[in-house]
Amino acid sequence: MSSILTNTSAMTALQTLRSVNSDLSSTQNAISTGKDISSAKDNSSIWAISKVMESDVSGFKAVSDSLALGESTLAVASAGAEQIVNVLNDIKEKVVAATGENVDYTKLGNDVTELSNQVTSIIAASQFNGFNLLNDDGVDLTVLSSIDRDSSGAVTAANITVTAVDFTSNLDLSDIDVSSSSAAEASIANIEAHIQTAVDAAAALGASSSRISDQAEFVSRVTDAMETGIGSLVDADMEEASARLTALQTQQSLAVQSLSIANQSPQTILQLFR
């Protein structure tokens, strides 16, 4: 039965065209944004997961900055501690030389004084952005090392604490005396103790620096892995999108033609009244 009031063919063609236009709009949006899921309406659960992961990525980037700052601070402190070990070894040479009888104790004493002053200068200069692990401020370095999210979604921060070595108090070189052979002999044990203190502190700083470097590399890899995971969830497959766009454009043209043909159908009814 033909009807001029209800054109079933046109209704079907129109529904098809609307569906094709909707798919075409989604495909064009994916191509323009580079994402299959760019908003919550596209897929609310995946979108929510991706946003939580993006938040964690931002947090890990801040962690990377903290680790870089801590690593730089430790690098300066380690360099200072290692240089102090070298200077203490120079002082030891002067002390051993002063144990002899036929030496210039005055010149050796002046050398020891200058080297001791150099130690003090190195301690003061071994700071990064105003933070010094070698002086007597007694402030430990706390470095944000990670943000951890558990299964319930709760987030906690993890830190690496580097203990200050305080060379100002622990390396009191006033007990080094080279004014005579006997005084120099008595000072050998003292300078050995100071060298051991400096070596232990430098080793501890080096170990902490290595730990922070390893953590920085780990955080970098975790960040890359998370960004890859986010991409696999929401990014558009551009090859597939390109092929789909071509197919949908063809479908759209055919749907328009089909609707045009369906709209012309009622015109044939006029033939019945001629």
Side-chain angles (χ1 to χ4, degrees), residues 13-213:
L14 181 59
Q15 290 175 355
T16 300
L17 180 59
R18 286 174 176 170
S19 176
V20 170
N21 284 342
S22 177
D23 290 344
L24 185 59
S25 176
S26 297
T27 302
Q28 289 174 331
N29 182 69
I31 292 173
S32 62
T33 63
K35 293 183 177 181
D36 272 335
I37 302 173
S38 58
S39 63
K41 72 176 183 179
D42 295 328
N43 188 318
S44 59
S45 60
I46 296 299
W47 180 85
I49 292 172
S50 70
K51 288 304 174 183
V52 171
M53 293 178 68
E54 286 176 4
S55 174
D56 286 348
V57 167
S58 297
F60 275 115
K61 288 181 178 178
V63 170
S64 294
D65 292 339
S66 174
L67 288 167
L69 181 60
E71 191 173 3
S72 298
T73 303
L74 267 174
V76 172
S78 294
E82 291 170 9
Q83 184 59 32
I84 287 173
V85 171
N86 294 333
V87 175
L88 291 176
N89 285 329
D90 292 339
I91 293 176
K92 179 181 177 180
E93 289 183 14
K94 305 300 180 183
V95 171
V96 172
T99 58
E101 295 293 340
N102 188 23
V103 295
D104 190 334
Y105 295 110
T106 300
K107 289 184 178 179
L108 289 173
N110 291 337
D111 288 344
V112 169
T113 299
E114 289 302 317
L115 290 171
S116 297
N117 291 337
Q118 186 177 351
V119 169
T120 302
S121 177
I122 293 171
I123 292 173
S126 298
Q127 58 82 28
F128 184 84
N129 195 31
F131 200 100
N132 195 324
L133 288 166
L134 304 188
N135 63 14
D136 56 357
D137 288 344
V139 179
D140 296 338
L141 177 64
T142 300
V143 180
L144 177 64
S145 60
S146 181
I147 50 172
D148 304 324
R149 183 184 297 276
D150 62 21
S151 58
S152 67
V155 178
T156 56
N159 298 302
I160 295 175
T161 300
V162 181
T163 304
V165 296
D166 188 10
F167 278 164
T168 303
S169 301
N170 296 330
L171 284 181
D172 183 5
L173 300 179
S174 61
D175 57 357
I176 305 302
D177 185 0
V178 292
S179 60
S180 66
S181 175
S182 58
E185 289 181 2
S187 296
I188 291 178
N190 295 334
I191 190 60
E192 285 290 350
H194 292 318
I195 291 174
Q196 190 60 51
T197 297
V199 168
D200 290 344
L205 292 174
S208 296
S209 180
S210 177
R211 180 184 176 189
I212 289 178
S213 296

Side-chain angles (χ1 to χ4, degrees), residues 264 266-274:
Q264 292 175 4
Q267 299 296 322
T268 60
I269 298 176
L270 291 175
Q271 303 296 326
L272 298 175
F273 297 98
R274 289 180 181 176

